[in-house]
Amino acid sequence: LTSTHAALSCNMAHLLDREVAGRVILQPAPADSRPRVSYSFQNLAELDKVDSDNNLVSRGSFSRQLSEGAEQSGLRKRAGSAFNLEEQAKKTPAKWRSFSPRRTNSTPLRSDSEASLPVDETPDPDLIHFDENFRTFHLKAGPSQYAFCVDHHGSLEHLHYGNWVGMGHDLTYLSETDPALTFEPAPAGTNYSTGELLRMVEREEGIDPQQLWMLSTHMRNERGSDWHLSRVENLTWRLRNMWSKNSQDSVTKKTVSAQQVLKVLERSGVPLMGDTSSQTCDAAVPGLCGPMEAVASEGSPTERKGKQGEKGSKLLEVSEFGTGDFRSPTLDVCFRKDGSRLLPLVYQHHRVLPGILPSTSGLPLLGAQNAEGAQTLVVDMVDTYTELKVQLVYTLFPGISAVSRRVIVRNSSRLGLGDVDLMKCMSGTFDFLTNDWHLLSLHGGWACERQITTRRLQEGMLHLGSNRGVSSHQMNPFCVLTAGPPCEDHGHCYGFCLLYSGNWLMEVEQTTTGCVRVNVGLSNTFFSWDLGSQETFESPECVCVFSDKGLGGVTSTFHKLLGERLIAPRWQNLVCPVLINTWEALYFEVEHHRILELAKPAKEVGVELLVLDDGWFGKRNDDTTSLGDWQHDPSKLPRGLAGLAEDLNGMGLKLGLWVEPEMVNMDSNLYKQHPEWVLHHPSRLRAEGRNQLVLDLTRIEVQDYIINSVSQILRSANIEYVKWDMNRALTDAYSAALPPRQQGQVYHRYVLGLYRIFEAVTSAFPRVLFESCASGGGRFDAALLAWCPQAWCSDNSDSFSRTRIQMGTSMWAPVRCMGAHIAACPSHQTHRTHIMKTRFIVALWGTFGLELDLNKLSQQERDEVKELVALRQRLCEVTLHGDFYRLPGFGYPGASHANSSGIGDSNVFAWMFVTPACDRAVVSAIVFHRDTVGKFPSRLKLRGLRPDASYDVTEHVPTPVARGVFNGIFQAGGPQFKHQRRLLLTGAVLMEVGLPVHFNFDGDSLLLELQVKTA
């Protein structure tokens, strides 16, 4: 058959660039000179067409000729038939692709979500492309490319995530260089199940066993006698013999159905090697009875297994427990019937959807409210033994260098395996090759959230996460992996963000090979999900952003992605109102007349919104009582919230309100009526935090109570803003409403309940602006931006503390989402004193508001506040909706020089905002400790400007003092700006040469406005 195979290879080589379904090929070609070919049963059938001009034989005689080893001279002339294959491929594009073993049933696995979506709708192929020749997925994420392939075991092997290199390249060569790992296990493969053979052919209406064997033989030869294809050839040879030896009916011999193949194989229990005693008989196919012969083909799996450690050395898209990959897995399940935790997943099929795949559990998703131009790839993986199904969901948005990922697990197991315990479910696994990897993460605590921390990775595992029931003050669900030390304006970076508000985990593991794995998803501590038959579990969404322009590129991509695709469209162009909050001014003493006393000067200085904070409800005179009783206190508000809103509206102010609906005090009517509504074990002592307990949001009745209570409040008065607080972590996480086996679901069900509440309330009151809060920034995560377009950064408004907090927060959060206020001085948290200018500049780097008692300020100070509020209104279009840049390279001599962008130790920080048109900019800088007397800082180089444009440079709020030239004494009326003259400089000069800036004292600051000079 050697010559015959050569002839067939000649014909098949013409299919190199044809988009046809290659449903049998399971392994990339070796790195040799042989051409790479895509195969399909349709192709083979096409080669059998009658061509009288070339003396070609019919389909039946063609099969017979090959089996008899006939001369191939005529076959060489059949190359032209490849053009017919091209036309056929164009007419019948495959909606589902399958290259690896599928299940032992001819009915395709379909999820509930699949059934509800039109399968014949073909989206624009711009973002997602599947190369059938090499079984490779190419995802176009803006200027970057994300690529992975189906390997010869059916696993998904990651190939590339970086700058765009184009669709036409064969990247599977990368998988062929995976090294062997001594003493590591080889991939499973000594038993090749009959079901796997069927899954290769189940989509074919008719199968010619002779041609099936012929095709697999050619494939094996084409691929250098690969052992996996040798197994395929061995089985198809036996299958051919079953028909050719026992059936003389040419019609029966010609084609059989996939169902008939299934019956024969299942009844025979086809042995792999050396069993000649098996008998087959199928009444549905006359004559199919007789012995099955076995042939030990060269390179069979008993003689040649996969490389040692092959799975552990690969970069994978999904990893499971116990199958040779010893890194931390994506998934961990336990089949309750036999206790097995093995889950070897293989590729089943995939599809591309326009838009996004909606969440079935209420989780926030990018594109849920704006999916224009988005595309989603859904890849189905299956455990061929249990048929448990895992869907990998990839979503891309045009022009954005980001890939969002999540996982859907469906218990479609057969063989009576019953229920499954899902022990771990990460939203995405990201593997990277060896490099000088560094990790940037955001750590901290109450009043010092999201501090930038960097480290160089070494062998071992790093765990970032929270088990507090909230995303937490201590760590934020965000990190960046950088190739080399993190830098603001250059270098390859991969940023990860999880859209989730509960327990979360990011595992960063560097193995002995130098490769790095990043797992992002739910924390598996105190987590287990009882997954009944046909039930589905959905992970939250994670996002991976690539940048070749350093951390600044990561930041700009996240700001654009979250601003355009997560925040509700009605808030995307919001200019946050200037507000004043009653907390630091009045605390719990919020009587009607005192509120109006605070409101009067607030209106005079330009405030637009007054937020009534804690103390307005029940008998709330301290933090020990009344949480849960959401009715106004008549002793403080005799005319209720409606009367207060009426008075404030009459003054030209809007009314906002503070609530904490997830909590309850024991001293409350709600607790007395429903003590079972709190999270606790009824037979154990329980912990309290801030004198309060956590309501059990896993209960529908509790969710409904909160929805109704908040809705009643909002309907009772003209309330246009809500600050939603949450002031303690979850402990005693036990729900009396759930059975014992579901107690591992409490933390996640709590978050799903919270999302349901937010969705119901914000949908019912779309004009009300919501701000999230959790003891400051304890739940400042991307997920809540879907309902709350802004969040309180921290309870600490000290200018120094806030600069560091906002530097870290700005890594992923848009500036317009960061709640920031001018607070009282000295600071109520640090007792530090800062000039008003510096407090203003830091508050301008956010939503902007006031957190102080204006009645305690002098008239001169109130006049200054009024001027600053007016300046904010002038600059806010730039600061809230412009592009944000941290400015590195600025500072005084010493070890911390040039760390002004927040990376590493520094006493100097600088940042700026630039409009999308690059015609206006706002520049800020601050010095913490000026302990370098007599030394000059480096020049402040700007970013994001138009090089050829000329900019007017204006200093706002100049520092009113300067150091005397001769005596060194501070004196009033010093120079307002270094040059004491107007500057007109090009963008190129401002970015390449920079501005000289001198600070006069600790806490000094700078605010510049740049505007393009028009002709």
Side-chain angles (χ1 to χ4, degrees), residues 746-816:
V746 170
Y747 280 104
H748 185 56
R749 285 184 179 271
Y750 181 97
V751 176
L752 295 181
L754 175 67
Y755 292 160
R756 176 177 177 262
I757 292 169
F758 271 125
E759 180 64 25
V761 174
T762 57
S763 297
F765 300 93
R767 69 177 182 83
V768 177
L769 175 63
F770 282 76
E771 177 176 286
S772 65
C773 177
S775 305
R779 199 163 60 186
F780 197 123
D781 52 68
L784 287 185
L785 296 182
W787 300 281
C788 306
Q790 58 191 58
W792 186 229
C793 269
S794 176
D795 282 345
N796 186 353
S797 292
D798 173 89
S799 295
F800 288 178
S801 301
R802 267 306 186 99
T803 298
R804 291 188 182 277
I805 291 169
Q806 292 173 200
M807 273 289 176
T809 306
S810 71
M811 283 287 171
W812 65 265
V815 172
R816 56 186 156 137

Side-chain angles (χ1 to χ4, degrees), residues 505-560:
L505 175 65
M506 291 184 179
E507 298 174 319
V508 184
E509 179 181 12
Q510 179 168 308
T511 66
T512 56
T513 65
C515 295
V516 169
R517 167 166 293 176
V518 179
N519 279 333
V520 182
L522 293 170
S523 171
N524 59 335
T525 304
F526 313 121
F527 171 82
S528 66
W529 198 270
D530 179 19
L531 202 59
S533 178
Q534 304 308 313
E535 291 183 350
T536 297
F537 179 84
E538 176 185 26
S539 77
E541 187 173 40
C542 71
V543 185
C544 181
V545 163
F546 167 74
S547 166
D548 64 349
K549 298 178 176 60
L551 297 172
V554 171
T555 292
S556 63
T557 300
F558 271 115
H559 288 192
K560 179 180 177 64

